[in-house]
Amino acid sequence: MKKLFLFTFLLCTLFANSQETTKFEFQRNELKSNALFLILGQPEFSYERILNNESGIGVSVNFALEKDFETTFSLTPYYRFYFGKKPAAGFFVEGFAMLNTLDIDDDIYQTYDFQTNTYTTVTDKGDSYTDFALGFGVGFKLLSKRGLVLEANGGIGRNLLNSEKNDYYGHTFVGRGGITVGYRF
């Protein structure tokens, strides 16, 4: 009986079909620059690691070269989920966290006193502080066969730490977005 069972088992394994799992290999690293912010004088650079066909994690660094911007620095890690047919391309949604530094300039204005008929110059001292925001965004990524990446995205987050300062200066919410160009390797 044992020999018949062994013979049947070996015969079955000889004719058995196994499924092959083909792993779709693709480039998993992206370096990008936000072209819109670069033109405005506040460059933003990003690195994204593609985890699988549908998701990726990354980090963006943004810093101001000119004094025109109140947000002087931001570090933004993010997670993206993609809905496109190509690996990590097409429409996506993202969740992000942002560590941002705000530098508010002094505000100088004049007040008029009707009783004494005089003008007084008032200097509202600016402030510099760091905050932390959580938010979400949406976007679309195009990918060429040679690895060129073109991306448009936008999002909104809420600063969580300095509520009094954020209410006073109007920085309760932070934006995230741009037109990004990069390379997947």
Side-chain angles (χ1 to χ4, degrees), residues 28-34 43-51 56-63 73-80 82 94-99 132 141 151 153 176 180:
R28 295 189 177 268
N29 300 299
E30 288 182 5
L31 285 176
K32 302 175 278 193
S33 176
N34 191 331
E44 180 181 62
F45 300 101
S46 301
Y47 169 77
E48 184 174 350
R49 174 72 176 170
I50 309 302
L51 300 174
I57 57 172
V59 64
S60 296
V61 176
N62 182 323
F63 52 92
F73 174 79
S74 68
L75 178 68
T76 310
Y78 58 87
Y79 171 80
R80 289 184 175 168
Y82 293 93
E94 76 174 9
F96 67 88
M98 180 186 290
L99 181 68
F132 180 76
K141 183 188 287 186
E151 175 182 299
N153 68 321
R176 173 166 162 72
T180 306

Side-chain angles (χ1 to χ4, degrees), residues 96 131-135 156-161 167 171-174:
F96 67 88
D131 213 324
F132 180 76
L134 292 175
I156 189 166
R158 183 180 178 97
N159 277 326
L160 302 173
L161 300 179
D167 290 342
H171 292 286
T172 303
F173 297 98
V174 293

Side-chain angles (χ1 to χ4, degrees), residues 6-175:
L6 183 61
F7 177 73
T8 307
F9 177 75
L10 289 174
L11 191 62
C12 288
T13 58
L14 185 64
F15 294 108
N17 290 332
S18 67
Q19 293 181 348
E20 281 188 35
T21 57
T22 58
K23 207 173 193 183
F24 183 71
E25 289 298 322
F26 53 88
Q27 306 298 330
R28 295 189 177 268
N29 300 299
E30 288 182 5
L31 285 176
K32 302 175 278 193
S33 176
N34 191 331
L36 180 63
F37 281 13
L38 188 62
I39 292 169
L40 296 175
Q42 190 168 2
E44 180 181 62
F45 300 101
S46 301
Y47 169 77
E48 184 174 350
R49 174 72 176 170
I50 309 302
L51 300 174
N52 56 37
N53 287 348
E54 298 175 333
S55 64
I57 57 172
V59 64
S60 296
V61 176
N62 182 323
F63 52 92
L65 297 176
E66 301 173 9
K67 294 289 281 178
D68 296 341
F69 300 99
E70 290 182 345
T71 303
T72 57
F73 174 79
S74 68
L75 178 68
T76 310
Y78 58 87
Y79 171 80
R80 289 184 175 168
F81 188 82
Y82 293 93
F83 296 97
K85 293 182 181 182
K86 288 185 179 179
F91 177 75
F92 64 84
V93 295
E94 76 174 9
F96 67 88
M98 180 186 290
L99 181 68
N100 55 70
T101 301
L102 298 148
D103 190 11
I104 311 299
D105 290 336
D106 294 344
D107 192 15
I108 300 171
Y109 57 92
Q110 289 188 341
T111 61
Y112 179 72
D113 187 3
F114 289 104
Q115 293 175 350
T116 61
N117 197 21
T118 59
Y119 286 96
T120 305
T121 301
V122 177
T123 302
D124 189 7
K125 194 71 173 152
D127 201 358
S128 180
Y129 63 98
T130 301
D131 213 324
F132 180 76
L134 292 175
F136 67 94
V138 296
F140 194 82
K141 183 188 287 186
L142 298 172
L143 178 66
S144 75
K145 291 180 183 178
R146 295 188 177 178
L148 184 66
V149 175
L150 179 64
E151 175 182 299
N153 68 321
I156 189 166
R158 183 180 178 97
N159 277 326
L160 302 173
L161 300 179
N162 298 299
S163 60
E164 285 183 20
K165 290 181 181 181
N166 289 327
D167 290 342
Y168 183 75
Y169 295 120
H171 292 286
T172 303
F173 297 98
V174 293

